[in-house]
């Protein structure tokens, strides 16, 4: 029943992610290097990074595609989750740092700090860090959303203040006296949960964890958009004020989705950091948040599959392109956004869906004509939801 | 304002606190009693149309302090008004609203009884839609009273809570949720919980399905149930919006120009539908189409420049020379 409820698309995507979580590590660890299906070790964290981006794009699309909130600040939630994980990884270094201080991370010793700031307490425990990965972005999303949505800030104004939010955090995290490593951020991680972070097996496990996390996120978003709340979100997107006149409170709908989305973005960031080995204030850069929007737009917003595919494709393109001419990447990205907006406004998946629906509708109309001439009734149930 | 019979010099506030306490202890009736001349008492036969106070209300006891007396008078006035409001569902009195210096609503007073259907007519810009905006909490009036079901002050509530109290609205420009199917539009409007978490975990009940079925039949939308609302014609959207109102099942329906853009046959149908709805609900309909208003056969109010120009049967209103001049005769 739940299989039918969520629709085939969600389950195919989940199955693909579970398969990737098993097969890619297997092909990396178990197959000999000269085997044609062997996945080289450098690729595992690279694809793992893309999977984290896909989860970030999915989180953004929950509020943009389904609720119409164009957030240009989701990079901030991602980075905060990343910092929470980075703080745990810093504490794991212990006395193995350059200065050999068992209590203080290197950058604090360098700044002549005598003791650990209070907000670093607890981050030597994985469970605490894992909790903060969700709580910190979630809390920021909640507080930000509470004020923004209650004051009925919408549209481009909301987008601008989300950019301002991530920019403010960028400036704050650049400061050395904030206690987050300033400009350099957090890096030189040694191990995670006791396993060496550079080892192939650890990376394979992190990759698998990212795929499973994305699969869970897909199930979660899929369940929401299939529920009555999902319909309500579409209603708020299409005619927000109308929902008020039938008694709904769109600000609560937005607050729920925005907070959940921030938590998802935070988890994606936490999985990203151990795979790339560094987190620095650059992750808060406003342009990062804009990139996320491009991924979702290219894939097709509001299609569930679209943001995932968009994030994977665009980032693969980015990796290829930055190998060739890194200085032009931003132009390519901008160009891509313009081209997609003008020629492919529904994105890749959206366009395919639309074509498919149109084809089905035409076939149905033809059948109906035939059916009517034969005297059989037309079945309205044939027109059931297109996503199935 | 000082309406005491025997005012004491201002500034003599020694016994103020004691006096106020005495006022509070006094049985309510003592203060409402003198107001009976202005409005019917609760026991009296229902006589609506509360007149704005034309003569000062007097309070039987003398207060040692003018302010305390003033408050007592205020209280007495409120009670007097409420007495009249008890039988009414919607009560607007002396409502004003100015947009950038333009008086859209000007000392508007209107009373709708429980179970009544009322038609509102009036030229473009008369303030008909603005009046609905004020009732539904979209626009706050600058001054005046807006009460629902006796003593609920609508100016103190927002759109969502007013809707939950039982006031539904159809907009002049039909607004439905275009990205959803007809059926889902209705399901979102169904009366029931409005909590986000309930919506997330919501399970369709048989009762709910029956209700949706019924509304689809009433509004002749059964074969369009899986169509996206965006693909409906203008007239169909109007009907869907009326269907959404039915699903919401409010006590009072505000219907703004339901037959705009409809064919004559559709207009007939809509009039039939609204009359049917009016059997169980109170309805306020705004409409320009005189045939439609005639088909409804109810009491008519003509608005002009934000105020009531004429009120009564359609024949009475349409023979009123002022109405002919500003509206019908054009
Ligand atoms: N939000 C607003 N800001 C400024 N002016 C407004 C606003 N809403 C209404 N008005 C003005 O108030 C006046 C009354 O408008 P309203 O829409 O209530 O008229 P109406 O009686 O519904 O007319 P119609 O028959 O054309 O629908 C108009 O002149 C309109 O321009
Ligand atoms: Mg109007």
């Amino acid at each position: 029943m739940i299989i039918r409820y969520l629709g085939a698309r969600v389950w195919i995507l989940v199955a693909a992610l579970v398969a990737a979580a098993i097969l890619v590590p297997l092909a990396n660890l178990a197959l000999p290097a000269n085997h044609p299906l062997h996945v080289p070790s450098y690729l595992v964290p690279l694809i793992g990074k893309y999977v984290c981006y896909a989860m970030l794009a999915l989180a953004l699309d929950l509020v943009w595609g389904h609720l119409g909130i164009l957030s240009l600040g989701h990079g901030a939630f991602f980075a905060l989750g990343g910092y929470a994980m980075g703080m745990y990884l810093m504490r794991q270094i212990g006395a193995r740092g350059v200065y050999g201080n068992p209590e203080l991370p290197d950058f604090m010793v360098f700044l002549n700090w005598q003791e650990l700031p209070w907000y670093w307490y607890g981050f030597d425990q994985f469970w605490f860090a894992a909790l903060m990965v969700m709580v910190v972005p979630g809390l920021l999303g909640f507080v930000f959303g509470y004020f923004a949505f209650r004051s009925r800030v919408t549209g481009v104004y909301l987008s601008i203040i989300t950019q301002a939010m991530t920019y403010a955090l960028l400036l704050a995290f650049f400061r050395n006296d904030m206690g987050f490593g300033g400009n350099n951020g957090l890096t030189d991680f040694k191990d995670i949960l006791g396993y060496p972070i550079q080892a192939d097996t650890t990376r394979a496990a992190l990759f698998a964890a990212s795929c499973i996390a994305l699969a869970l996120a897909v199930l979660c978003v899929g369940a929401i958009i299939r529920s009555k709340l999902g319909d309500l979100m579409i209603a708020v997107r299409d005619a927000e004020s109308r929902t008020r006149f039938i008694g709904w409170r769109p600000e609560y709908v937005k607050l729920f989705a925005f907070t959940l989305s921030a938590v998802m973005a935070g988890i994606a960031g936490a999985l990203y950091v151990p795979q790339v080995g560094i987190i620095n204030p650059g992750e808060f850069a406003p342009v990062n948040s804009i990139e996320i929007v491009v991924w979702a737009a290219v894939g097709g917003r509001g299609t569930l599959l679209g943001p995932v595919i968009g994030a994977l494709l665009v980032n693969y393109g980015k990796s290829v392109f930055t190998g060739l001419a890194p200085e032009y990447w931003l132009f390519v990205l901008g160009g891509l956004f313009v081209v997609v907006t003008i020629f492919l406004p529904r994105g890749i998946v959206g366009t395919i869906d639309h074509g498919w629906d149109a084809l089905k509708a035409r076939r149905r109309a033809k059948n109906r004509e035939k059916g009517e001439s034969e005297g059989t009734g037309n079945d309205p149930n044939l027109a059931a939801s297109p996503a199935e | 304002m000082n309406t005491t019979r025997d005012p004491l010099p201002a500034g003599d506030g020694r016994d103020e606190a004691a006096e106020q306490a005495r006022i509070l202890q006094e049985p309510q009736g003592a203060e409402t009693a003198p107001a009976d001349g202005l409005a019917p008492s609760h026991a009296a036969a229902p006589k609506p149309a509360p007149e704005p106070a034309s003569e000062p209300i007097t309070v039987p006891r003398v207060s040692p302090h003018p302010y305390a007396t003033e408050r007592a008078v205020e209280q007495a006035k409120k009670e007097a008004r409420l007495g009249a409001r008890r039988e009414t569902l919607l009560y607007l009195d002396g409502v004003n609203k100015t947009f950038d210096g333009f008086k859209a609503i000007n000392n508007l007073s209107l009373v709708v009884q429980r179970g009544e259907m009322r038609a509102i007519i009036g030229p473009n810009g008369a303030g008909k839609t603005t009046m609905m905006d004020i009732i539904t909490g979209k626009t706050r009036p600058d001054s005046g009273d807006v009460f629902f079901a006796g003593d609920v002050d609508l100016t103190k509530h927002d759109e969502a809570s007013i809707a939950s109290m039982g006031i539904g609205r159809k907009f002049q420009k039909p607004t439905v949720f275009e990205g959803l199917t007809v059926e889902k539009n209705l399901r979102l409007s169904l009366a029931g919980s409005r909590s986000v978490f309930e919506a997330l975990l919501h399970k369709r009940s048989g009762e709910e399905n029956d209700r949706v079925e019924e509304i689809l039949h009433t509004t002749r939308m059964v074969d369009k149930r899986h169509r996206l609302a965006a693909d409906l014609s203008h007239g169909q959207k109007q009907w869907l919006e009326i269907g959404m109102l039915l699903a919401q099942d409010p006590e009072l329906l505000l219907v703004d120009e339901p037959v705009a853009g409809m064919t004559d046959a559709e207009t007939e149908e809509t009039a039939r539908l609204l009359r049917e709805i009016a059997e169980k609900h109170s309805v306020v309909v705004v409409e320009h189409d005189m045939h439609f208003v005639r088909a409804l056969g109810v009491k008519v109010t003509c608005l002009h420049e934000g105020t009531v120009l004429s009120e009564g049967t359609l024949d009475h209103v349409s023979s009123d020379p002022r109405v002919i001049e500003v509206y019908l005769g054009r």
Side-chain angles (χ1 to χ4, degrees):
Chain A
M1 205 217 98
I2 190 159
I3 294 188
R4 285 211 43 157
Y5 178 69
L6 286 177
R9 168 172 294 180
V10 167
W11 290 107
I12 292 172
L13 186 53
V14 168
L17 286 167
V18 172
I22 297 167
L23 295 179
V24 170
L26 215 60
N28 170 243
L29 300 173
L31 294 178
N34 54 5
H35 193 281
L37 290 178
H38 174 78
V39 175
S41 287
Y42 79 91
L43 264 186
V44 176
L46 189 67
I47 308 174
K49 193 173 93 171
Y50 296 167
V51 172
C52 295
Y53 285 153
M55 186 163 164
L56 177 57
L58 185 68
L60 172 83
D61 194 52
L62 177 64
V63 292
W64 185 36
H66 298 279
L67 204 44
I69 304 170
L70 176 54
S71 165
L72 295 178
H74 258 54
F77 303 126
F78 182 79
L80 285 174
Y83 264 97
M85 177 57 90
M87 285 161 82
Y88 163 75
L89 296 173
M90 284 309 266
R91 299 288 279 128
Q92 292 303 294
I93 297 172
R96 287 170 291 176
V98 178
Y99 298 107
N101 187 321
E103 267 304 308
L104 295 188
D106 276 353
F107 73 89
M108 291 187 192
V109 181
F110 184 77
L111 290 172
N112 269 326
W113 289 20
Q114 298 307 316
E115 56 184 58
L116 206 61
W118 62 267
Y119 47 83
W120 275 73
Y121 291 170
F123 278 95
D124 50 340
Q125 301 290 324
F126 183 78
W127 67 266
F128 182 78
L131 197 65
M132 288 304 122
V133 157
M134 296 184 270
V135 168
V136 174
L139 200 64
L140 176 67
F142 183 85
V143 172
F144 180 91
Y146 180 80
F147 288 107
F149 303 140
R150 204 187 50 156
S151 327
R152 303 197 180 173
V153 180
T154 52
V156 72
Y157 299 100
L158 190 86
S159 303
I160 289 170
I161 57 171
T162 53
Q163 277 266 285
M165 172 189 75
T166 193
Y167 190 65
L169 285 167
L170 169 78
L171 296 181
F173 275 76
F174 258 126
R175 297 170 60 97
N176 278 328
D177 53 10
M178 277 284 285
F180 295 109
N183 200 1
N184 300 319
L186 310 175
T187 187
D188 290 332
F189 309 134
K190 300 283 191 261
D191 46 36
I192 178 167
L193 289 167
Y195 298 98
I197 206 157
Q198 304 273 4
D200 281 355
T201 44
T202 312
R203 297 201 140 164
L206 284 168
F207 176 88
S210 308
C211 289
I212 299 300
L214 177 57
L216 290 175
V218 167
L219 284 176
C220 174
V221 173
I224 290 174
I225 62 179
R226 278 304 175 106
S227 71
K228 187 175 173 186
L229 179 60
D231 293 342
L232 178 57
M233 285 165 68
I234 301 290
V236 171
R237 183 190 72 187
D238 290 349
E240 175 174 345
S241 86
R242 187 70 179 86
T243 63
R244 296 181 197 278
F245 293 99
I246 47 176
W248 295 102
R249 292 194 180 275
E251 55 271 29
Y252 293 167
V253 179
K254 290 177 169 184
L255 193 56
F256 170 80
F258 198 71
T259 306
L260 181 67
S261 170
V263 170
M264 270 168 58
I267 296 173
L271 287 161
Y272 167 88
V273 166
Q275 298 188 74
V276 297
I278 182 169
I279 174 80
N280 63 29
E283 294 295 340
F284 286 105
V287 65
N288 280 25
S289 294
I290 294 173
E291 262 187 68
I292 309 166
V293 172
V294 179
W295 306 337
V298 169
R301 69 185 180 119
T303 58
L304 194 75
L305 193 55
V308 173
I309 289 185
L312 297 179
L313 277 182
V314 176
N315 281 295
Y316 175 70
K318 181 179 181 175
S319 294
V320 171
F321 197 87
T322 45
L324 302 173
E327 60 272 36
Y328 294 117
W329 169 245
L330 273 185
F331 295 100
V332 174
L333 190 74
L336 189 64
F337 192 51
V338 171
V339 168
V340 166
T341 319
I342 294 174
F343 296 106
L344 216 62
R346 295 170 207 272
I348 297 169
V349 176
T351 305
I352 295 173
D353 276 356
H354 186 68
W356 181 243
D357 283 349
L359 196 74
K360 269 206 303 198
R362 212 173 313 144
R363 203 175 302 158
R364 208 167 39 232
K366 219 182 265 172
N367 281 347
R368 194 171 299 171
E369 256 167 43
K370 237 190 283 167
E372 258 160 26
S373 58
E374 287 164 14
T376 52
N378 43 357
D379 182 0
N381 290 327
L382 275 177
S385 12
E388 301 224 345
Chain B
M1 176 178 105
N2 193 341
T3 49
T4 44
R5 278 190 203 143
D6 183 10
L8 287 173
D12 180 7
R14 274 171 300 158
D15 289 330
E16 187 189 352
E19 183 54 34
Q20 287 205 351
R22 209 154 63 79
I23 290 173
L24 288 175
Q25 279 162 12
E26 203 70 30
Q28 291 274 327
E31 278 160 33
T32 31
D36 274 353
L38 290 161
S41 77
H42 316 334
K47 191 172 134 241
E51 300 295 332
S54 48
E55 54 189 77
I57 297 177
T58 47
V59 182
R61 275 171 310 88
V62 181
S63 158
H65 193 279
Y67 178 64
T69 312
E70 206 171 293
R71 279 181 33 145
V73 171
E74 214 58 59
Q75 174 88 30
K77 265 186 159 180
K78 271 239 137 68
E79 267 302 312
R81 290 222 205 95
L82 191 58
R85 277 202 309 269
R86 287 243 157 84
E87 291 79 32
T88 65
L89 185 61
L90 184 66
Y91 173 97
L92 278 77
D93 187 27
V95 178
N96 288 289
K97 178 71 199 178
T98 305
F99 290 115
D100 313 317
F102 173 76
K103 256 190 160 320
I105 296 289
N106 185 5
N107 196 23
L108 174 68
S109 301
L110 181 83
V111 176
V112 177
Q113 302 294 311
R114 267 178 215 282
E116 185 186 347
M117 167 136 92
R118 175 73 60 89
I120 312 263
I121 59 172
N124 294 110
K128 306 181 295 293
T129 302
T130 308
M131 180 190 79
M132 291 197 169
D133 288 347
I134 288 173
I135 297 169
T136 53
K138 190 177 175 201
T139 303
R140 292 244 173 285
D142 300 333
S143 62
D145 290 337
V146 185
F147 284 92
F148 176 65
D151 54 359
V152 182
D153 185 349
L154 292 181
T155 58
K156 294 200 166 52
H157 292 88
D158 67 357
E159 300 98 313
S161 59
I162 289 175
S164 304
M165 282 173 207
I167 299 186
R169 177 171 185 186
K170 194 203 89 62
F171 285 80
Q172 181 164 356
K173 176 178 176 289
T175 4
V176 294
F177 305 123
E178 309 237 316
L180 296 175
T181 61
V182 167
E183 186 181 328
K184 284 181 172 174
N185 267 277
L186 294 178
R187 284 186 185 276
L188 273 188
S189 314
L190 278 178
S193 164
R194 291 294 189 253
S195 133
V196 168
F197 293 102
E198 200 280 334
L200 180 61
L201 304 172
H202 183 80
K203 278 210 156 51
R204 292 178 180 184
S205 70
E207 196 185 330
E208 223 177 83
N209 294 340
D210 293 346
R211 186 91 187 97
V212 169
E213 246 18 77
E214 193 186 318
I215 295 166
L216 284 171
H217 273 284
T218 316
T219 54
R220 321 238 155 127
M221 290 260 176
V222 179
D223 57 331
K224 299 180 192 74
R225 64 191 307 159
H226 294 298
R227 281 254 210 107
L228 282 187
D231 299 338
L232 297 179
S233 73
H234 188 81
Q236 287 166 342
K237 280 183 191 167
Q238 300 265 46
W239 274 59
L240 173 57
E241 217 183 347
I242 294 175
M244 288 162 72
L245 263 183
L246 284 176
Q248 199 183 339
D249 196 22
E251 204 171 348
L252 173 67
L253 287 81
L254 306 175
V255 188
D256 203 347
E257 305 204 9
V259 299
M262 282 191 181
T263 62
D264 286 351
E266 285 171 332
T267 303
E268 288 282 313
E269 276 295 296
T270 309
R272 182 192 59 74
L273 178 63
L274 277 180
R275 273 200 311 265
E276 196 180 310
I277 293 171
E279 285 167 15
K280 289 191 194 128
H281 304 82
S282 310
V283 186
V284 174
V285 197
V286 165
E287 190 48 73
H288 283 296
D289 186 324
M290 279 307 179
H291 296 290
F292 176 77
V293 175
R294 189 163 291 283
L296 292 180
V298 296
K299 186 171 171 186
V300 176
T301 299
C302 180
L303 292 194
H304 178 55
E305 291 176 350
T307 195
V308 174
L309 193 63
S310 182
E311 199 167 89
T313 64
L314 181 59
D315 289 329
H316 168 80
V317 169
S318 54
S319 58
D320 186 322
R322 287 173 307 168
V323 174
I324 295 173
E325 189 193 327
V326 304
Y327 186 44
L328 300 171
R330 284 174 311 154

